[in-house]
Amino acid sequence: MTNAVVSTVLEIEAEYGTVLKCPINDNRLVAIRKFLNDGDDPIENRSPLGIDLKVAQKLLNSKMTKQEIADILGIKEYRLQRYINCGYLNDTIWHTFDDKRKKRRNSKYRMFKNGDYIGVGTIKELAELTHKTVQTISYYHTEKYKLRKHTDRFRLVKVE
């Protein structure tokens, strides 16, 4: 078959002057790409997103975290999440493996502002109570927030 590839390339070069000027969907060029890539045409199967969606979906179905999956795919985690939100990928199986996140989401916290008690509830309930976003309330629970100096200090204490 390698002789056939060489003769096909010579045929294309005779017609177009160089392989680079040949249209990307030329049947001869597609056949060569499929031969060199075990039957798959990498250009035909390439996603406009820049990642292999089949590989990404298989990784999501494994027990890996989204950060690990994003690192393997060579993208940022927020971009992976955007592909999921837009419907390119399905993470329903991934959620069944993410028990730690589910437990944290349903955990109850006591919230304090400058030492004064504000209320108790899940992060979502505290966000509604204080009229802040869920991300802001979650940030109050991080070490990064605790190390910074603030005029108003918020603390979340997990209720056992």
Side-chain angles (χ1 to χ4, degrees), residues 32-119:
I32 291 171
R33 286 194 306 261
K34 285 184 177 181
F35 172 73
L36 296 174
N37 292 294
D38 298 324
D40 285 332
D41 184 4
I43 293 176
E44 185 179 280
N45 295 335
R46 184 174 54 188
S47 163
L49 306 174
I51 63 169
D52 188 345
L53 293 175
K54 290 180 183 176
V55 171
Q57 188 60 56
K58 285 181 181 178
L59 291 171
L60 275 171
N61 294 345
S62 69
K63 292 186 178 184
M64 299 172 71
T65 65
K66 288 185 180 177
Q67 181 61 52
E68 292 171 338
I69 294 169
D71 290 342
I72 290 171
L73 296 173
I75 59 175
K76 301 277 186 191
E77 185 179 0
Y78 77 88
R79 188 166 300 280
L80 176 66
Q81 189 60 48
R82 184 176 297 160
Y83 294 157
I84 292 167
N85 293 344
C86 291
Y88 294 110
L89 298 169
N90 183 350
D91 68 342
T92 54
I93 293 176
W94 182 84
H95 282 294
T96 61
F97 298 122
D98 197 19
D99 294 332
K100 182 178 178 184
R101 184 174 176 191
K102 285 181 183 177
K103 287 178 185 175
R104 187 177 68 223
R105 189 181 312 140
N106 295 327
S107 295
K108 298 254 183 198
Y109 296 93
R110 282 192 185 109
M111 186 170 184
F112 297 90
K113 177 181 178 183
N114 297 329
D116 298 330
Y117 177 76
I118 294 178

Side-chain angles (χ1 to χ4, degrees), residues 27 49 59 78 141 143 157:
N27 291 335
L49 306 174
L59 291 171
Y78 77 88
H141 195 55
E143 289 300 318
V157 178

Side-chain angles (χ1 to χ4, degrees), residues 99-152:
D99 294 332
K100 182 178 178 184
R101 184 174 176 191
K102 285 181 183 177
K103 287 178 185 175
R104 187 177 68 223
R105 189 181 312 140
N106 295 327
S107 295
K108 298 254 183 198
Y109 296 93
R110 282 192 185 109
M111 186 170 184
F112 297 90
K113 177 181 178 183
N114 297 329
D116 298 330
Y117 177 76
I118 294 178
V120 66
T122 63
I123 289 180
K124 187 176 180 181
E125 293 168 348
L126 290 171
E128 291 172 3
L129 177 71
T130 59
H131 304 289
K132 297 182 183 288
T133 64
V134 172
Q135 291 84 5
T136 302
I137 302 297
S138 297
Y139 177 63
Y140 293 156
H141 195 55
T142 64
E143 289 300 318
K144 190 174 184 178
Y145 175 80
K146 292 175 186 176
L147 294 175
R148 290 185 161 189
K149 295 184 179 180
H150 304 278
T151 54
D152 291 328

